[in-house]
Amino acid sequence: MFDPRLVQSVVRNLRSTFAVGTLMVALCILAVVSTTETISQRRLSDQIDRNIAYLAEVNSLFLSEQIGGMIKFGKVTQIEDTFGAMVAKSRGAALGGVAIGADGTLLFRSPVPPGGTGDRLAEAADLARQAAASGKVIAGVDGFTVAEPVRFGKDGAAVGALATVWTPEPQRQELEASVANTVLVAGLVFVTALVGAALFQWVWLSRPLRAAERAMERVADGDLEAPIPASG
C-alpha cells in the first residue's frame, strides 16, 4: 500500500523542483536574448558610425567640386546656401561646416545649432586649414569631420578648403527607439509563452501524482475501497 506522506512529499518536491527549473530556464533564455540583443545593437551602432563617416567623406568631396568658384570669388551667400542645403537634406546628420580661402581666411562657418557644436566647428576650421596647406583630405579622429581641399579652373589651382561636420546621434536615437519597441514586444511574447508552457508542463507532469495524492488522502481517511491510480 502507498504511503500518503510519501506521495505528498513527492508532490511538494515536484512543485518546488518545477518552479526552480522554470525559473532557471527563464533566466537562461533571458541571458541568451540579452547577450544577443546587446551584440546586435553594438554592431548596428558601429554600422551607423561607418555610414556617417562615409557620408562626411562623400559630401565633403561633392561640395569641394561645387563651390570652387564660390570660394575663389568670395561668394559667401552662395556658400552659405550650399551648406544650408546639405544640412537640410541630411535629416539631422549634418551639423554644418566651414569654408576657407587659399590664405586660410575663414569665409564661412555654419551657425551653432541648439545643443552646441562650437568646438567641432572650430576643429573643422583647423582641419580645413590643414587640408588647404597639404592639398590632402584630412579627417577627424572619429571620421565625422572631413576637410577637403578645394580647386578651381582648368589647371586645378588650389583656392581654399572646406570641412563638413556630421553626427550619428539622430540615427542612434532611432535605433534606441526601435530597440525599445522590439524589447517590449519580445518581452510580452516571452512572458506569455513562458506562462503558457509552465502551465501546460505543470498539468502534464503533476496530474498523475495529484491523482495519487487524492487517493492516498481518501485511504488515510479510512476509505479502504478507494481506487489507487495505476502506473506504467
Side-chain angles (χ1 to χ4, degrees):
M1 182 178 294
F2 290 102
D3 184 350
R5 291 174 298 179
L6 176 61
V7 176
Q8 293 173 358
S9 176
V10 170
V11 172
R12 286 195 298 270
N13 289 336
L14 176 62
R15 289 172 177 170
S16 177
T17 301
F18 182 78
V20 172
T22 301
L23 178 60
M24 290 302 298
V25 170
L27 290 177
C28 289
I29 293 175
L30 285 175
V32 171
V33 172
S34 299
T35 301
T36 303
E37 185 63 31
T38 299
I39 294 174
S40 176
Q41 187 172 359
R42 287 180 179 176
R43 288 178 177 174
L44 289 174
S45 182
D46 290 342
Q47 183 62 51
I48 288 173
D49 290 351
R50 288 192 292 270
N51 289 343
I52 294 299
Y54 176 75
L55 286 175
E57 180 180 356
V58 170
N59 280 274
S60 293
L61 175 61
F62 176 76
L63 288 185
S64 72
E65 296 173 348
Q66 299 296 313
I67 67 172
M70 303 176 198
I71 289 180
K72 180 175 178 61
F73 299 108
K75 304 293 185 178
V76 177
T77 300
Q78 294 181 15
I79 295 174
E80 180 180 1
D81 291 342
T82 302
F83 275 91
M86 177 196 71
V87 172
K89 294 178 180 179
S90 71
R91 298 175 57 188
L95 299 177
V98 299
I100 64 170
D103 59 356
T105 301
L106 184 65
L107 299 176
F108 169 77
R109 169 174 166 165
S110 295
V112 179
T117 56
D119 292 342
R120 296 197 60 191
L121 289 171
E123 176 195 11
D126 292 337
L127 293 178
R129 292 187 176 93
Q130 294 178 37
S134 64
K136 299 179 180 179
V137 178
I138 305 293
V141 176
D142 55 14
F144 303 151
T145 303
V146 176
E148 187 87 28
V150 178
R151 304 180 185 280
F152 182 73
K154 294 182 179 180
D155 58 350
V159 294
L162 64 82
T164 62
V165 181
W166 297 70
T167 177
E169 288 307 315
Q171 292 189 25
R172 286 178 179 172
Q173 291 174 3
E174 291 179 4
L175 173 62
E176 291 174 359
S178 176
V179 169
N181 290 334
T182 300
V183 169
L184 177 60
V185 174
L188 293 175
V189 173
F190 171 75
V191 171
T192 302
L194 183 64
V195 170
L199 289 175
F200 174 78
Q201 290 291 336
W202 170 243
V203 171
W204 182 68
L205 290 174
S206 67
R207 183 170 54 186
L209 287 176
R210 287 190 289 112
E213 180 184 24
R214 287 193 297 269
M216 291 303 96
E217 288 176 350
R218 292 176 62 184
V219 171
D221 292 338
D223 184 2
L224 302 181
E225 300 298 327
I228 304 299
S231 61

